PDB file of all heavy atoms in Angstrom:
ATOM      1  N   THR A1170     -11.226  -2.151 -11.776  1.00  0.00           N
ATOM      2  CA  THR A1170     -12.121  -1.034 -11.523  1.00  0.00           C
ATOM      3  C   THR A1170     -11.314   0.237 -11.645  1.00  0.00           C
ATOM      4  O   THR A1170     -10.195   0.309 -11.167  1.00  0.00           O
ATOM      5  CB  THR A1170     -12.704  -1.151 -10.111  1.00  0.00           C
ATOM      6  OG1 THR A1170     -13.200  -2.470  -9.955  1.00  0.00           O
ATOM      7  CG2 THR A1170     -13.827  -0.176  -9.895  1.00  0.00           C
ATOM      8  N   MET A1175     -10.381  12.193  -6.239  1.00  0.00           N
ATOM      9  CA  MET A1175     -11.151  13.358  -5.808  1.00  0.00           C
ATOM     10  C   MET A1175     -10.338  14.618  -6.070  1.00  0.00           C
ATOM     11  O   MET A1175      -9.160  14.697  -5.724  1.00  0.00           O
ATOM     12  CB  MET A1175     -11.510  13.275  -4.331  1.00  0.00           C
ATOM     13  CG  MET A1175     -12.442  14.408  -3.907  1.00  0.00           C
ATOM     14  SD  MET A1175     -12.794  14.436  -2.127  1.00  0.00           S
ATOM     15  CE  MET A1175     -13.894  13.049  -1.988  1.00  0.00           C
ATOM     16  N   VAL A1201     -14.931  18.610  -5.901  1.00  0.00           N
ATOM     17  CA  VAL A1201     -15.485  19.309  -4.746  1.00  0.00           C
ATOM     18  C   VAL A1201     -14.821  20.678  -4.699  1.00  0.00           C
ATOM     19  O   VAL A1201     -13.625  20.794  -4.959  1.00  0.00           O
ATOM     20  CB  VAL A1201     -15.172  18.540  -3.440  1.00  0.00           C
ATOM     21  CG1 VAL A1201     -15.817  19.211  -2.250  1.00  0.00           C
ATOM     22  CG2 VAL A1201     -15.596  17.092  -3.539  1.00  0.00           C
ATOM     23  N   LYS A1210     -16.914  14.266   2.585  1.00  0.00           N
ATOM     24  CA  LYS A1210     -16.883  13.206   1.565  1.00  0.00           C
ATOM     25  C   LYS A1210     -15.711  12.257   1.779  1.00  0.00           C
ATOM     26  O   LYS A1210     -15.811  11.065   1.531  1.00  0.00           O
ATOM     27  CB  LYS A1210     -16.821  13.832   0.169  1.00  0.00           C
ATOM     28  CG  LYS A1210     -18.074  14.622  -0.117  1.00  0.00           C
ATOM     29  CD  LYS A1210     -18.317  14.813  -1.590  1.00  0.00           C
ATOM     30  CE  LYS A1210     -19.753  15.269  -1.781  1.00  0.00           C
ATOM     31  NZ  LYS A1210     -20.105  15.610  -3.121  1.00  0.00           N
ATOM     32  N   PRO A1216     -11.415   8.185  -1.551  1.00  0.00           N
ATOM     33  CA  PRO A1216     -11.085   7.760  -2.925  1.00  0.00           C
ATOM     34  C   PRO A1216      -9.726   7.059  -2.945  1.00  0.00           C
ATOM     35  O   PRO A1216      -9.161   6.780  -1.893  1.00  0.00           O
ATOM     36  CB  PRO A1216     -11.015   9.086  -3.668  1.00  0.00           C
ATOM     37  CG  PRO A1216     -10.585  10.071  -2.631  1.00  0.00           C
ATOM     38  CD  PRO A1216     -11.128   9.589  -1.322  1.00  0.00           C
ATOM     39  N   ASP A1222      -6.200  21.332  -3.362  1.00  0.00           N
ATOM     40  CA  ASP A1222      -5.701  22.704  -3.442  1.00  0.00           C
ATOM     41  C   ASP A1222      -5.370  23.199  -2.041  1.00  0.00           C
ATOM     42  O   ASP A1222      -6.001  22.823  -1.067  1.00  0.00           O
ATOM     43  CB  ASP A1222      -6.775  23.595  -4.095  1.00  0.00           C
ATOM     44  CG  ASP A1222      -6.258  25.001  -4.367  1.00  0.00           C
ATOM     45  OD1 ASP A1222      -5.040  25.144  -4.601  1.00  0.00           O
ATOM     46  OD2 ASP A1222      -7.066  25.939  -4.335  1.00  0.00           O
ATOM     47  N   ARG A1240      -5.931  10.220  10.728  1.00  0.00           N
ATOM     48  CA  ARG A1240      -6.925   9.142  10.841  1.00  0.00           C
ATOM     49  C   ARG A1240      -6.396   7.862  10.223  1.00  0.00           C
ATOM     50  O   ARG A1240      -5.835   7.875   9.141  1.00  0.00           O
ATOM     51  CB  ARG A1240      -8.224   9.538  10.128  1.00  0.00           C
ATOM     52  CG  ARG A1240      -9.114  10.458  10.942  1.00  0.00           C
ATOM     53  CD  ARG A1240     -10.549  10.426  10.414  1.00  0.00           C
ATOM     54  NE  ARG A1240     -10.630  10.894   9.037  1.00  0.00           N
ATOM     55  CZ  ARG A1240     -10.761  12.173   8.675  1.00  0.00           C
ATOM     56  NH1 ARG A1240     -10.816  13.110   9.594  1.00  0.00           N
ATOM     57  NH2 ARG A1240     -10.842  12.504   7.418  1.00  0.00           N
ATOM     58  N   ALA A1253      -0.387  27.917  -5.385  1.00  0.00           N
ATOM     59  CA  ALA A1253      -0.075  28.991  -6.324  1.00  0.00           C
ATOM     60  C   ALA A1253       1.400  29.348  -6.207  1.00  0.00           C
ATOM     61  O   ALA A1253       2.026  29.104  -5.180  1.00  0.00           O
ATOM     62  CB  ALA A1253      -0.944  30.199  -6.030  1.00  0.00           C
ATOM     63  N   GLY A1267       2.416  15.591   5.417  1.00  0.00           N
ATOM     64  CA  GLY A1267       2.255  14.277   4.821  1.00  0.00           C
ATOM     65  C   GLY A1267       1.718  14.206   3.408  1.00  0.00           C
ATOM     66  O   GLY A1267       1.301  13.143   2.971  1.00  0.00           O
ATOM     67  N   GLU A1280       1.976  16.598 -16.981  1.00  0.00           N
ATOM     68  CA  GLU A1280       2.917  16.269 -15.915  1.00  0.00           C
ATOM     69  C   GLU A1280       2.171  15.869 -14.639  1.00  0.00           C
ATOM     70  O   GLU A1280       2.540  14.915 -13.957  1.00  0.00           O
ATOM     71  CB  GLU A1280       3.830  17.458 -15.632  1.00  0.00           C
ATOM     72  CG  GLU A1280       5.020  17.058 -14.791  1.00  0.00           C
ATOM     73  CD  GLU A1280       5.721  18.258 -14.182  1.00  0.00           C
ATOM     74  OE1 GLU A1280       5.906  19.252 -14.900  1.00  0.00           O
ATOM     75  OE2 GLU A1280       6.051  18.176 -12.990  1.00  0.00           O
ATOM     76  N   LEU A1288       1.837   7.904  -8.450  1.00  0.00           N
ATOM     77  CA  LEU A1288       1.387   7.688  -7.071  1.00  0.00           C
ATOM     78  C   LEU A1288       0.468   6.476  -6.968  1.00  0.00           C
ATOM     79  O   LEU A1288       0.588   5.671  -6.055  1.00  0.00           O
ATOM     80  CB  LEU A1288       0.636   8.913  -6.569  1.00  0.00           C
ATOM     81  CG  LEU A1288       1.423   9.910  -5.743  1.00  0.00           C
ATOM     82  CD1 LEU A1288       0.510  11.053  -5.329  1.00  0.00           C
ATOM     83  CD2 LEU A1288       1.984   9.233  -4.496  1.00  0.00           C
ATOM     84  N   ARG A1291       2.246   3.260  -7.103  1.00  0.00           N
ATOM     85  CA  ARG A1291       2.870   2.878  -5.844  1.00  0.00           C
ATOM     86  C   ARG A1291       1.843   2.309  -4.869  1.00  0.00           C
ATOM     87  O   ARG A1291       2.076   1.321  -4.203  1.00  0.00           O
ATOM     88  CB  ARG A1291       3.551   4.089  -5.213  1.00  0.00           C
ATOM     89  CG  ARG A1291       5.058   3.968  -5.241  1.00  0.00           C
ATOM     90  CD  ARG A1291       5.693   5.048  -4.418  1.00  0.00           C
ATOM     91  NE  ARG A1291       5.386   6.369  -4.967  1.00  0.00           N
ATOM     92  CZ  ARG A1291       5.597   7.515  -4.322  1.00  0.00           C
ATOM     93  NH1 ARG A1291       6.126   7.516  -3.127  1.00  0.00           N
ATOM     94  NH2 ARG A1291       5.312   8.653  -4.873  1.00  0.00           N
ATOM     95  N   VAL A1297      -3.061   0.070 -12.228  1.00  0.00           N
ATOM     96  CA  VAL A1297      -2.470   0.843 -13.312  1.00  0.00           C
ATOM     97  C   VAL A1297      -1.638  -0.083 -14.200  1.00  0.00           C
ATOM     98  O   VAL A1297      -0.835  -0.848 -13.710  1.00  0.00           O
ATOM     99  CB  VAL A1297      -1.576   1.972 -12.764  1.00  0.00           C
ATOM    100  CG1 VAL A1297      -0.974   2.799 -13.893  1.00  0.00           C
ATOM    101  CG2 VAL A1297      -2.369   2.869 -11.839  1.00  0.00           C
ATOM    102  N   GLY A1304       1.991  -3.894 -31.045  1.00  0.00           N
ATOM    103  CA  GLY A1304       2.709  -4.742 -31.988  1.00  0.00           C
ATOM    104  C   GLY A1304       3.764  -5.544 -31.255  1.00  0.00           C
ATOM    105  O   GLY A1304       3.465  -6.162 -30.233  1.00  0.00           O
ATOM    106  N   ILE A1306       6.357  -4.244 -29.803  1.00  0.00           N
ATOM    107  CA  ILE A1306       7.064  -3.358 -28.872  1.00  0.00           C
ATOM    108  C   ILE A1306       6.380  -3.368 -27.504  1.00  0.00           C
ATOM    109  O   ILE A1306       5.161  -3.254 -27.416  1.00  0.00           O
ATOM    110  CB  ILE A1306       7.095  -1.908 -29.420  1.00  0.00           C
ATOM    111  CG1 ILE A1306       7.893  -1.874 -30.730  1.00  0.00           C
ATOM    112  CG2 ILE A1306       7.695  -0.946 -28.397  1.00  0.00           C
ATOM    113  CD1 ILE A1306       7.935  -0.516 -31.392  1.00  0.00           C
ATOM    114  N   ASP A1309       7.871  -1.040 -20.427  1.00  0.00           N
ATOM    115  CA  ASP A1309       7.562  -1.270 -19.019  1.00  0.00           C
ATOM    116  C   ASP A1309       7.883  -0.008 -18.239  1.00  0.00           C
ATOM    117  O   ASP A1309       9.033   0.407 -18.150  1.00  0.00           O
ATOM    118  CB  ASP A1309       8.374  -2.460 -18.497  1.00  0.00           C
ATOM    119  CG  ASP A1309       7.932  -2.868 -17.090  1.00  0.00           C
ATOM    120  OD1 ASP A1309       7.534  -1.991 -16.309  1.00  0.00           O
ATOM    121  OD2 ASP A1309       7.996  -4.070 -16.789  1.00  0.00           O
ATOM    122  N   HIS A1316      11.330  -3.330 -25.096  1.00  0.00           N
ATOM    123  CA  HIS A1316      11.743  -4.465 -25.915  1.00  0.00           C
ATOM    124  C   HIS A1316      11.039  -4.429 -27.253  1.00  0.00           C
ATOM    125  O   HIS A1316       9.899  -3.988 -27.350  1.00  0.00           O
ATOM    126  CB  HIS A1316      11.405  -5.792 -25.220  1.00  0.00           C
ATOM    127  CG  HIS A1316      12.279  -6.082 -24.046  1.00  0.00           C
ATOM    128  ND1 HIS A1316      12.000  -5.608 -22.787  1.00  0.00           N
ATOM    129  CD2 HIS A1316      13.436  -6.783 -23.952  1.00  0.00           C
ATOM    130  CE1 HIS A1316      12.946  -6.008 -21.953  1.00  0.00           C
ATOM    131  NE2 HIS A1316      13.839  -6.726 -22.634  1.00  0.00           N
ATOM    132  N   ARG A1341      -2.945   9.146 -32.270  1.00  0.00           N
ATOM    133  CA  ARG A1341      -3.129  10.563 -31.976  1.00  0.00           C
ATOM    134  C   ARG A1341      -1.872  11.340 -32.377  1.00  0.00           C
ATOM    135  O   ARG A1341      -0.759  10.930 -32.088  1.00  0.00           O
ATOM    136  CB  ARG A1341      -3.407  10.734 -30.487  1.00  0.00           C
ATOM    137  CG  ARG A1341      -3.736  12.152 -30.174  1.00  0.00           C
ATOM    138  CD  ARG A1341      -4.532  12.265 -28.904  1.00  0.00           C
ATOM    139  NE  ARG A1341      -4.221  13.540 -28.303  1.00  0.00           N
ATOM    140  CZ  ARG A1341      -4.438  13.848 -27.048  1.00  0.00           C
ATOM    141  NH1 ARG A1341      -4.949  12.941 -26.244  1.00  0.00           N
ATOM    142  NH2 ARG A1341      -4.134  15.031 -26.587  1.00  0.00           N
ATOM    143  N   ARG A1345       4.849  19.376 -32.102  1.00  0.00           N
ATOM    144  CA  ARG A1345       6.157  19.507 -31.447  1.00  0.00           C
ATOM    145  C   ARG A1345       6.008  20.272 -30.136  1.00  0.00           C
ATOM    146  O   ARG A1345       6.655  19.958 -29.144  1.00  0.00           O
ATOM    147  CB  ARG A1345       7.136  20.202 -32.380  1.00  0.00           C
ATOM    148  CG  ARG A1345       7.540  19.315 -33.546  1.00  0.00           C
ATOM    149  CD  ARG A1345       8.297  20.088 -34.609  1.00  0.00           C
ATOM    150  NE  ARG A1345       8.713  19.212 -35.687  1.00  0.00           N
ATOM    151  CZ  ARG A1345       7.903  18.817 -36.680  1.00  0.00           C
ATOM    152  NH1 ARG A1345       6.652  19.224 -36.735  1.00  0.00           N
ATOM    153  NH2 ARG A1345       8.366  18.008 -37.616  1.00  0.00           N
TER     154      ARG A1345
END
Side-chain angles (χ1 to χ4, degrees):
T1170 311
M1175 186 185 286
V1201 184
K1210 296 202 165 175
D1222 187 30
R1240 280 199 298 273
E1280 194 196 317
L1288 263 180
R1291 250 189 297 167
V1297 181
I1306 297 177
D1309 188 327
H1316 288 86
R1341 186 157 150 199
R1345 289 169 178 80

